[in-house]
């Protein structure tokens, strides 16, 4: 009886082996692929004190200054509001005065310029059916 030849598989190149799989040699001398155990997680590193960045220091120093400036602006607007309202009322009154005076001046100018209506007389003459017309205007 003939002994059948063992089945041989094509070998894999090292770059074809997927991650988590390794080529191992068994105690009988046979080399095969085997899954490996994932590495044990590293012990957590104790946190160390980090220096505060310069931008954080600048922001921390500017925050109260900006807040105080906004508060002072609000306080100033609170005291200035009655004056601003009075000023807007005065400006609207000035606009109304200018508009009324311009309208009145325009009315008076039209009344003074056209006291009497102008009378215009025309004399037009033409000869023939398609003759040229001539005319004179007398004021």
């Amino acid at each position: 009886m003939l002994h059948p030849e063992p089945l041989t598989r094509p070998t894999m190149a090292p770059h074809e082996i997927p991650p988590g799989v390794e080529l191992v040699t068994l105690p009988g001398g046979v080399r095969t692929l085997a899954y490996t155990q994932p590495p044990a997680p590293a012990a957590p590193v104790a946190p160390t004190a980090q220096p505060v960045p310069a931008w954080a220091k600048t922001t921390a120093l500017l925050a109260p200054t900006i807040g105080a400036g906004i508060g002072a602006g609000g306080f100033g607007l609170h005291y200035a509001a009655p004056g601003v309202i009075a000023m807007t009322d005065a400006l609207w009154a000035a606009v109304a005065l200018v508009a009324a005076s311009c309208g009145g001046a325009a009315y008076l100018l039209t009344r003074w310029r056209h006291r009497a209506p102008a009378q215009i007389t025309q004399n037009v003459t033409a000869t023939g059916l398609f003759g040229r017309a001539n005319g004179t205007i007398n004021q």
Side-chain angles (χ1 to χ4, degrees), residues 27-139:
V30 178
R31 297 186 70 180
T32 185
L33 294 175
Y35 290 107
T36 58
Q37 296 291 329
V45 179
T48 57
Q50 299 283 333
V52 177
W55 66 266
K57 289 180 184 177
T58 305
T59 304
L61 290 174
L62 283 178
T65 307
I66 292 171
I70 291 172
F75 194 70
L77 283 176
H78 166 71
Y79 278 108
V84 171
I85 292 171
M87 192 182 319
T88 57
D89 290 342
L91 286 175
W92 279 117
V95 167
L97 179 66
V98 167
S101 62
C102 288
Y107 176 73
L108 289 176
L109 285 176
T110 56
R111 292 288 293 165
W112 288 338
R113 284 190 183 167
H114 301 294
R115 288 192 173 200
Q119 288 188 340
I120 299 173
T121 58
Q122 271 185 321
N123 296 322
V124 179
T125 58
T127 57
L129 183 61
F130 296 107
R132 186 172 193 179
N134 292 322
T136 58
I137 299 175
N138 301 319
Q139 291 186 1

Side-chain angles (χ1 to χ4, degrees), residues 4-35:
E5 288 187 30
L7 293 173
T8 59
R9 294 189 179 118
T11 58
M12 295 177 75
H15 69 276
E16 293 176 336
I17 298 175
V21 176
E22 240 180 73
L23 184 63
V24 294
T25 306
L26 297 175
V30 178
R31 297 186 70 180
T32 185
L33 294 175
Y35 290 107

